């Protein structure tokens, strides 16, 4: 089966750096995804990791360790608009994605 | 390029009724996946259609069904609605080539009373 864990809520200050962790246990692995979802909107794709290491894309970076079943999403220079839910998802085989319940990030002044 | 569209955006139904939701993928995309999103369970995969064939299926009861037409538009149907079916139903389209190039629609908010 598939199990994905991530914190329910996090709070950070504008301009700071925040790291959102995700641990997973899956029967197969074809890649790990991070999505951002603002309230009332569709999830939007942020990053995809299939090999170990860090992928950097502007203010957002994502890290993967397959041996530890662990990933994190790093957000730098936080802005108020980054307040959203961040979803970790794993492709365990085929094109089926299993999502965590999401981490609600609140950015404060 | 127009994005993924879903209709209707909001729907209120009564227990025992059935409902059909529609999803039009991005032009040229042949894969459509459906997800149910609830506060307690998060996003859960329902099924995926590719070229009119169901390719993957999640762990939902048979009351949940879907189909895809030759123009790649997809519909999902829920029969004998239960209160627990109240959720945001999202569809996502993909060209079929890269799993990470999946784009979500705005969703249909279904409320069952």
């Amino acid at each position: 089966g598939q199990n994905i864990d991530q914190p329910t809520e996090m709070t950070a200050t504008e301009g700071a750096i925040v790291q959102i962790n995700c641990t997973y246990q899956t029967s197969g692995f074809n890649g790990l995804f991070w999505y951002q979802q603002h309230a009332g909107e569709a999830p939007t794709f942020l990053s995809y990791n299939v090999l170990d290491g860090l992928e950097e894309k502007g203010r957002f970076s994502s890290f993967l360790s397959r041996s530890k079943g662990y990933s994190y999403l790093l957000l730098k220079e936080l802005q108020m608009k980054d307040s959203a839910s961040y979803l970790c998802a794993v492709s365990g085989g085929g094109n089926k994605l299993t999502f965590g319940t999401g981490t609600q990030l609140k950015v404060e002044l | 390029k127009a994005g993924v569209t879903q209709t209707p955006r909001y729907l209120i139904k009564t227990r025992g009724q059935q409902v059909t939701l529609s999803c039009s993928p991005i032009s040229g995309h042949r894969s459509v996946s459906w997800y149910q999103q609830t506060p307690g369970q998060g996003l859960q995969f329902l099924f995926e259609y590719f070229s009119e064939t169901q390719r993957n299926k999640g762990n939902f009861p048979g009351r949940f069904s879907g189909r895809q037409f030759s123009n790649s538009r997809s519909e999902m149907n829920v029969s004998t609605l239960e209160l627990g079916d109240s959720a945001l139903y999202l569809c996502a389209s993909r060209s079929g080539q890269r799993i990470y190039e999946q784009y979500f629609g705005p969703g249909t908010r279904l409320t069952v009373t």
Side-chain angles (χ1 to χ4, degrees):
Chain A
Q2 321 273 55
N3 189 47
I4 298 176
D5 287 314
Q6 51 182 130
T8 304
E9 294 179 340
M10 297 184 72
T11 301
T13 305
E14 189 179 36
I17 298 173
V18 71
Q19 178 175 311
I20 302 175
N21 295 325
C22 171
T23 57
Y24 64 90
Q25 292 175 300
T26 59
S27 54
F29 184 81
N30 279 351
L32 186 140
F33 301 75
W34 285 96
Y35 283 84
Q36 179 192 60
Q37 187 177 25
H38 285 99
E41 297 182 10
T44 55
F45 170 79
L46 289 177
S47 68
Y48 170 66
N49 294 69
V50 65
L51 300 175
D52 290 351
L54 189 68
E55 294 280 342
E56 297 186 79
K57 193 186 294 184
R59 295 189 299 115
F60 292 63
S61 302
S62 57
F63 172 84
L64 174 67
S65 169
R66 288 172 297 171
S67 62
K68 295 182 180 177
Y70 167 70
S71 173
Y72 66 73
L73 180 70
L74 194 70
L75 291 78
K76 304 174 187 175
E77 300 169 16
L78 278 173
Q79 302 174 9
M80 297 299 288
K81 68 178 182 180
D82 297 329
S83 292
S85 181
Y86 291 85
L87 308 172
C88 173
V90 173
S91 172
N95 297 311
K96 172 183 169 180
L97 286 183
T98 300
F99 283 81
T101 52
T103 298
Q104 189 66 45
L105 174 65
K106 182 179 179 183
V107 180
E108 298 178 329
L109 291 171
Chain B
K1 214 180 226 187
V4 180
T5 58
Q6 292 186 246
T7 56
R9 293 293 312 278
Y10 302 91
L11 202 52
I12 299 175
K13 288 286 189 178
T14 305
R15 267 181 305 176
Q17 288 185 315
Q18 75 161 12
V19 67
T20 299
L21 311 181
S22 179
C23 171
S24 292
I26 293 171
S27 177
H29 285 194
R30 296 162 63 191
S31 166
V32 173
S33 296
W34 288 90
Y35 294 84
Q36 180 195 65
Q37 187 173 33
T38 58
Q41 299 294 321
L43 263 164
Q44 292 185 285
F45 174 79
L46 280 155
F47 27 65
E48 181 202 8
Y49 286 87
F50 181 84
S51 294
E52 302 179 66
T53 301
Q54 188 180 86
R55 196 156 64 169
N56 282 296
K57 191 176 187 307
N59 298 323
F60 278 81
R63 299 186 297 108
F64 292 81
S65 62
R67 60 178 175 169
Q68 187 178 34
F69 302 95
S70 57
N71 62 357
S72 294
R73 189 178 70 86
S74 177
E75 288 182 347
M76 68 162 280
N77 183 278
V78 188
S79 62
T80 320
L81 282 166
E82 301 176 359
L83 294 178
D85 297 333
S86 294
L88 180 67
Y89 290 88
L90 293 159
C91 85
S93 84
R94 194 163 49 79
S95 67
Q97 300 303 314
R98 301 182 184 87
I99 185 174
Y100 52 85
E101 291 182 341
Q102 179 169 253
Y103 301 91
F104 282 87
T108 294
R109 172 73 63 186
L110 172 66
T111 302
V112 182
T113 61

